[in-house]
Amino acid sequence: MIQRLLFLITLYACAYARGFAQTSDYEAFVQRGLTAAEHDSLEQAEEYFRQALRLSPADYRNALIFTNLGKILELRYWRSLESSPATAGSSPSSREQRSAAQLADQALENYTLALNITPTYVPMLDARGSFYMKLKNYAKAAHDFTTILDLAPANHIIRNHRAYCYVQLRRYDEARVDYLRVLEKDTENTTAQLGLAIICQDTQKLQEAIQRMSNLIDAHPDDAEYYSVRASMYAEHKQPELAIMDLDRAIQLSPDNANYLQARGYLHQQQGNRHSARVDFERAARLTNSN
């Protein structure tokens, strides 16, 4: 996220270097905002950018200011969640909940203001669409990704993003079309391959889902997540022994992953192996508490 913010900052700085020999108050505030953002002083950067907007509210360059404001507010949103008591196991106050919600709303508002000025600028569409996706507003994210694909149909990253949104919306046919189109141009694209396997699982084509995951594992035998995904498929297919074997391998590859341990613990519990289940649950709890 920080890298994407710095990309926009760099882009903005280059525009100034090319186009302006003298520095007005507007450019001075923008430069101060860029410097503050580079030093991670996000609230100060926001204030400088807003002062620039107040000085020249109709300037076309405000599109990049709005985008940078959106990035800053998005970063502050995620940090507010990380620092809230909820991450420590307690419930955040209503004031904290409102504060996080306000930051998210303001980030989206600034992305939208940027797009009102330059509605076909792909990095801005990507910024808003990606934030919508992270907020699990999959319909709006898919809409932004569709706009990007209308402009740049060969963008496989965005097509995979849209397919993921379609899966979350249970628009499986559209998701499948997107994943297959990616694979037409990039046969080794693991994101699309995994996506097709998940679609098969969600649509109760479990044997095909398992076969697709097996193909991925054959090609990438050291990827713990693939074993974990196939384990969930085996469990759903009423093959707990095979699921446990896959989780054994996933834990061997990623021994500090509490989720894998918990999943194996539940399977041991279902199998009546209480001792092994307890060992997995206790180890998962220690890992969770240590983080």
Side-chain angles (χ1 to χ4, degrees):
M1 197 177 296
I2 292 173
Q3 289 178 336
R4 299 175 92 181
L5 174 62
L6 292 178
F7 166 74
L8 288 169
I9 286 172
T10 303
L11 182 64
Y12 212 157
C14 290
Y16 285 127
R18 288 196 305 266
F20 298 95
Q22 296 181 343
T23 301
S24 68
D25 289 342
Y26 176 91
E27 284 94 40
F29 278 127
V30 171
Q31 189 55 56
R32 290 173 192 169
L34 301 179
T35 301
E38 288 173 335
H39 289 86
D40 207 33
S41 300
L42 300 184
E43 293 185 29
Q44 186 64 67
E46 179 184 354
E47 179 54 33
Y48 284 136
F49 287 141
R50 293 200 184 281
Q51 289 187 58
L53 291 172
R54 285 193 287 269
L55 281 175
S56 187
D59 197 303
Y60 74 94
R61 294 169 292 171
N62 289 345
L64 283 170
I65 292 186
F66 285 131
T67 304
N68 280 330
L69 278 172
K71 281 291 174 188
I72 287 168
L73 290 160
E74 183 180 343
L75 275 170
R76 290 183 59 196
Y77 167 76
W78 295 118
R79 290 180 184 180
S80 74
L81 295 185
E82 292 171 359
S83 61
S84 73
T87 57
S90 57
S91 299
S93 68
S94 59
R95 179 179 178 182
E96 286 163 343
Q97 287 178 321
R98 285 197 304 272
S99 176
Q102 287 172 351
L103 288 169
D105 288 344
Q106 290 168 5
L108 291 168
E109 178 185 10
N110 278 279
Y111 287 143
T112 300
L113 288 169
L115 287 166
N116 287 343
I117 300 172
T118 55
T120 60
Y121 189 50
V122 168
M124 293 178 187
L125 286 162
D126 184 17
R128 188 175 69 175
S130 295
F131 191 35
Y132 273 134
M133 184 169 67
K134 292 170 189 172
L135 293 174
K136 300 183 179 181
N137 191 333
Y138 298 115
K140 288 189 175 180
H143 182 272
D144 278 346
F145 295 146
T146 297
T147 303
I148 294 174
L149 290 169
D150 288 342
L151 298 164
N155 191 322
H156 295 336
I157 293 174
I158 296 300
R159 194 169 294 280
N160 276 331
H161 285 348
R162 186 175 71 174
Y164 174 81
C165 292
Y166 284 157
V167 169
Q168 302 309 308
L169 295 166
R170 300 186 178 183
R171 294 165 60 176
Y172 296 117
D173 289 342
E174 292 163 284
R176 186 180 290 106
V177 168
D178 270 347
Y179 284 137
L180 289 173
R181 186 161 177 186
V182 170
L183 291 170
E184 284 177 3
K185 302 295 184 182
D186 180 8
T187 58
E188 302 301 318
N189 191 290
T190 56
T191 300
Q193 291 173 7
L194 178 61
L196 287 172
I198 297 298
I199 289 173
C200 290
Q201 183 182 22
D202 287 355
T203 55
Q204 298 304 303
K205 298 176 181 176
L206 289 174
Q207 199 57 51
E208 182 181 348
I210 291 169
Q211 184 57 57
R212 286 184 177 276
M213 287 310 304
S214 297
N215 293 340
L216 267 173
I217 288 170
D218 288 343
H220 307 278
D222 296 327
D223 193 307
E225 186 63 20
Y226 293 161
Y227 289 97
S228 173
V229 172
R230 190 174 66 175
S232 73
M233 295 172 178
Y234 277 136
E236 193 173 342
H237 207 248
K238 309 301 181 187
Q239 295 177 288
E241 297 86 358
L242 292 175
I244 289 172
M245 288 176 61
D246 268 354
L247 286 170
D248 288 344
R249 179 59 176 153
I251 292 166
Q252 183 183 16
L253 291 166
S254 184
D256 294 332
N257 190 305
N259 292 330
Y260 299 162
L261 287 161
Q262 287 178 335
R264 190 175 67 177
Y266 285 123
L267 286 170
H268 281 313
Q269 191 174 62
Q270 291 170 11
Q271 293 293 93
N273 191 340
R274 295 181 181 179
H275 173 73
S276 295
R278 184 172 65 254
V279 170
D280 278 346
F281 289 145
E282 289 175 353
R283 185 176 162 193
R286 287 196 298 271
L287 286 169
T288 301
N289 292 334
S290 66
N291 294 330

